[in-house]
Amino acid sequence: ARGIRIPHRWLRGGGSDVNSQRYTSKAFASGSSAGDREVNDDADDMGQGAATGGADAARYSAAAADDDDDYADGNSADVKSPPPRPSRAAAELKKKKDESLTPHVEEQLLRQMRFNLRDYAKMLAGKDALKVELDHAFRLADEMAEKKWSYKIRRDGKRVGGVGCNNNNKNGSSMDDDDDIQGRVAAAAAAAATGGERGRRGRLKEPPSPETFPPFNQKSYFRYELIHRSKKPGSRARVGRIHTPHGIIDTPGFVPVGTNAALKAVDNDQSRNAGTQLMFCNTYHLIVHPGANVVEKAGGLHRFMNRSGPIITDSGGFQVFSLADATSEDGDELKSRGNKRSTGSLLKVSENGVLFRSYFDGSKISLTPEESVRAQKMLGADIIVPLDELPPYHVTTERLKESVYLSHRWEARSLQEHLKNPQKQAMYAVIHGGVDRELRKLSVEYLSSLPFDGFAVGGSLGKDRKEMAELLQYVMPLLPEDRPNHVLGIADTESIESTVAFGCDTFDSAYPTRVARHGTLFTTDGIIHIKLSRFKEDYNRIDPKLETIPYSRSYLHHLLRAKEPLFLTLASLHNMIYMNKMMANIRGKILRDEI
């Protein structure tokens, strides 16, 4: 379990290690004994693990609060030093180390260990984030104990009073013979074969018919204007303008991500001067803190963050499903390179919506399609997005189809809620289907029949750029040409250059600003890592062929090495200016039919 380092022998059950190391809260408050070398070593591991767990939890909380945020340095200074090592509080248990204990006794020891760990953790925890991580660690300990107990039940074919006990006889135990077990398995198989599970959860239930929605009409406050379509053979590239209540967006365009209503180390004036037109903010993080109602009372996002340009917010679904525990279906893909970390944040997914745990204070938050739209109404962005499910790349076709149908139902409900009060906001549908072309086509056909104002291509786009390019080459021609489109979560230079010819309008990503803060700067000759010593006496501009910021490579190298906060601002500005000028250059090439 993350958050604390729990020695494996504490959790595996059985044997002398578990039975001889029962820590109590009294033991942690008492002094150490020289004879307890093994017990003291494990206690020391526990103390160091919790302290480092605090840093790890702080790092992850920062990362969860921002796709655009790097894993900030965990500050373990708030975590107090471990108390004195325990004495021989568990000495009486050592007498039983060679005895064969019943599963019930083992279960009691494991559960007692859980509460003792909690007492010890309370002495160390100095941050809410650490407490949330520790809670998850304890849940994992419980689950492991229950799985071990269930295994013993299946192996022995009987129940002894304990977890999952069915106390039907006098001695508190009951017998489950093989026939009963096989009968229950057969019943479950029969239910699955008849579609009972699907019928109960409604996985393949059809979404609302398009006839239940009004026809699409161009809005006076939001519309797409086509300027030029490339005449180059095989190209579908186009130049256009998106008209919004807060200004015009030139397309194709780059959209930086300001997760918490802020670009890291860059204010709105600097962002505007760098060429930013549309900015992306994350509903999930703004719901968690400060709360959509707080932003609404401030007059909406534009007044809250003092921004005059257009803003797009997502539904919160991407972050919710990204914070789910990793499964066998997760793996390397373009948007997530297999580094998914278990947090226990996603608690439940149902037809109604999702239930997740706040990374900020551990509270439970419900997010339904209607609640997501209402939250985005409070935030007041120009473009909003319906709630959808985000299945991983390595998922079965059947599971992917279920997800597409669920997303369609959620998006239809979101649109219904939006149409009750459009509030001069546009809503983009999110096309799903993973890399399955038939499901992508199905998604386009259904969602384009509804009165959405634009279309975003979401979900998994493949394991690498090649697969993404092939997918977008297939999907983009299917989208309506009279409305704008957006590629979610992809905006690195190589991906943009390889897909803009397919007719993509806008791209969002935290990548350019995130890597800038770590010293990776974009230039027309490729990326440079400014931290390298070869730039110490390099007095050239960051990009000699493109004017961005009036500082030398040597100066930025110095700022990064000296850990000056100014580096974060200058590096981020350079990459933002580079991206916006690159997009302007691409628009020029399309106008000249070169792309």
Side-chain angles (χ1 to χ4, degrees):
R2 293 196 320 101
I4 56 176
R5 288 166 49 207
I6 301 179
H8 184 63
R9 58 178 173 275
W10 288 21
L11 300 178
R12 64 178 176 234
S16 60
D17 290 326
V18 171
N19 301 330
S20 64
Q21 296 179 29
R22 181 182 179 185
Y23 296 109
T24 64
S25 56
K26 292 182 180 180
F28 287 116
S30 61
S32 61
S33 171
D36 280 350
R37 181 63 57 192
E38 182 177 357
V39 175
N40 289 339
D41 287 343
D42 281 342
D44 194 43
D45 282 346
M46 179 64 193
Q48 295 176 10
T52 57
D56 188 37
R59 279 196 302 273
Y60 187 72
S61 294
D66 184 2
D67 288 345
D68 180 30
D69 198 5
D70 37 60
Y71 294 132
D73 293 333
N75 181 8
S76 58
D78 294 336
V79 183
K80 303 188 185 311
S81 301
R85 293 177 175 178
S87 62
R88 300 192 180 202
E92 68 277 7
L93 293 178
K94 292 183 179 180
K95 298 178 182 179
K96 297 182 179 181
K97 72 178 191 175
D98 295 327
E99 297 179 8
S100 177
L101 301 179
T102 66
H104 176 47
V105 176
E106 291 185 22
E107 179 62 28
Q108 286 182 326
L109 292 177
L110 286 168
R111 286 193 172 276
Q112 185 60 47
M113 179 201 72
R114 173 184 183 272
F115 292 112
N116 293 335
L117 285 174
R118 184 181 295 279
D119 291 339
Y120 185 64
K122 287 179 180 178
M123 302 168 68
L124 298 175
K127 293 186 176 181
D128 289 338
L130 176 58
K131 294 176 183 178
V132 173
E133 290 290 333
L134 290 171
D135 285 341
H136 181 55
F138 296 132
R139 286 200 304 274
L140 291 180
D142 273 349
E143 291 172 3
M144 187 173 292
E146 290 173 3
K147 288 179 181 178
K148 176 175 284 296
W149 181 234
S150 299
Y151 169 75
K152 290 180 180 295
I153 292 172
R154 293 194 302 272
R155 185 190 63 187
D156 300 332
K158 61 183 179 180
R159 294 180 183 268
V160 181
V163 177
C165 175
N166 198 358
N167 295 319
N168 294 328
N169 56 16
K170 294 182 180 179
N171 60 9
S173 64
S174 64
M175 302 296 291
D176 281 340
D177 56 23
D178 291 341
D179 292 338
D180 183 42
I181 295 175
Q182 293 174 0
R184 285 186 279 113
V185 172
T194 58
E197 178 68 14
R198 290 186 181 180
R200 182 167 60 255
R201 294 185 59 185
R203 287 182 178 177
L204 296 181
K205 178 182 176 182
E206 291 288 339
S209 171
E211 283 73 23
T212 61
F213 292 85
F216 170 73
N217 291 313
Q218 197 77 256
K219 310 294 190 303
S220 60
Y221 54 84
F222 185 90
R223 63 188 177 88
Y224 175 76
E225 176 189 3
L226 179 64
I227 303 299
H228 178 75
R229 171 82 70 182
S230 176
K231 297 180 177 61
K232 183 177 181 179
S235 174
R236 300 191 73 259
R238 64 182 189 174
V239 173
R241 290 177 181 171
I242 303 174
H243 297 261
T244 77
H246 289 89
I248 292 176
I249 306 163
D250 292 312
T251 66
F254 162 65
V255 183
V257 176
T259 297
N260 284 301
L263 292 169
K264 295 295 179 290
V266 177
D267 66 27
N268 282 305
D269 288 337
Q270 292 170 323
S271 174
R272 182 178 62 254
N273 293 334
T276 298
Q277 292 179 317
L278 178 63
M279 178 177 168
F280 205 107
C281 295
N282 295 117
T283 298
Y284 168 85
H285 298 295
L286 294 172
I287 288 176
V288 170
H289 192 274
N293 59 325
V294 174
V295 177
E296 182 184 35
K297 291 177 182 178
L301 273 177
H302 291 88
R303 289 190 179 181
F304 185 61
M305 59 190 292
N306 193 28
R307 175 174 171 77
S308 59
I311 298 174
I312 178 174
T313 52
D314 61 359
S315 66
F318 177 82
Q319 285 75 25
V320 169
F321 289 102
S322 295
L323 295 176
D325 285 343
T327 68
S328 59
E329 295 176 342
D330 290 287
D332 286 355
E333 60 176 297
L334 191 62
K335 289 186 180 181
S336 176
R337 286 293 182 183
N339 56 353
K340 195 171 185 180
R341 306 175 70 173
S342 296
T343 66
S345 295
L346 180 58
L347 303 178
K348 182 181 180 181
V349 180
S350 66
E351 181 68 27
N352 189 49
V354 296
L355 181 68
F356 64 95
R357 189 181 302 279
S358 166
Y359 61 80
F360 185 76
D361 58 9
S363 62
K364 294 181 180 179
I365 300 176
S366 171
L367 189 65
T368 66
E370 294 79 10
E371 288 168 341
S372 173
V373 172
R374 286 194 287 268
Q376 293 182 80
K377 295 292 180 185
M378 295 180 186
L379 297 176
D382 299 88
I383 303 171
I384 63 177
V385 175
L387 183 66
D388 57 339
E389 186 184 22
L390 183 72
Y393 173 73
H394 301 277
V395 68
T396 64
T397 302
E398 181 181 6
R399 172 68 184 89
L400 183 60
K401 186 175 182 180
E402 293 169 356
S403 176
V404 169
Y405 274 72
L406 178 61
S407 289
H408 286 177
R409 296 193 297 273
W410 281 359
E411 292 188 50
R413 287 167 53 190
S414 299
L415 181 59
Q416 289 170 342
E417 182 68 22
H418 165 64
L419 292 177
K420 293 178 182 178
N421 180 22
Q423 203 171 300
K424 290 190 175 182
Q425 292 176 304
M427 176 175 277
Y428 281 16
V430 182
I431 306 300
H432 274 280
V435 294
D436 188 302
R437 296 193 175 190
E438 290 302 316
L439 289 178
R440 286 284 181 180
K441 182 179 180 181
L442 171 70
S443 187
V444 171
E445 289 175 348
Y446 175 70
L447 295 175
S448 61
S449 69
L450 303 184
F452 284 104
D453 301 294
F455 299 90
V457 182
S460 175
L461 298 181
K463 62 180 180 295
D464 52 33
R465 289 190 183 92
K466 181 177 182 295
E467 190 168 24
M468 177 196 65
E470 293 173 350
L471 178 66
L472 291 179
Q473 187 176 19
Y474 172 78
V475 172
M476 300 310 295
L478 303 177
L479 298 177
E481 296 187 359
D482 61 338
R483 284 168 269 183
N485 62 69
H486 182 86
V487 181
L488 285 166
I490 301 294
D492 61 283
T493 56
E494 293 182 33
S495 296
I496 291 175
E497 290 171 347
S498 64
T499 60
V500 73
F502 305 143
C504 302
D505 291 330
T506 49
F507 307 78
D508 81 89
S509 178
Y511 176 77
T513 50
R514 183 176 62 244
V515 298
R517 296 194 300 275
H518 290 283
T520 299
L521 305 180
F522 300 160
T523 75
T524 51
D525 294 325
I527 63 172
I528 62 172
H529 302 288
I530 201 67
K531 191 174 184 178
L532 298 178
S533 59
R534 64 189 178 91
F535 296 112
K536 185 176 182 179
E537 297 182 8
D538 188 340
Y539 304 108
N540 294 310
R541 292 184 309 186
I542 306 301
D543 188 344
K545 300 178 182 178
L546 184 69
E547 185 175 352
T548 57
I549 57 176
Y551 299 97
S552 69
R553 296 179 175 185
S554 176
Y555 183 59
L556 263 69
H557 169 83
H558 157 68
L559 293 179
L560 178 56
R561 286 289 189 173
K563 298 182 179 179
E564 286 290 339
L566 179 60
F567 172 81
L568 305 177
T569 298
L570 297 182
S572 298
L573 282 174
H574 166 79
N575 277 5
M576 288 175 63
I577 295 171
Y578 177 88
M579 291 297 297
N580 288 321
K581 288 194 173 184
M582 182 189 80
M583 300 309 298
N585 185 46
I586 288 175
R587 291 194 294 270
K589 288 183 177 180
I590 297 175
L591 290 172
R592 296 189 297 271
D593 299 322
E594 296 175 6
I595 293 181

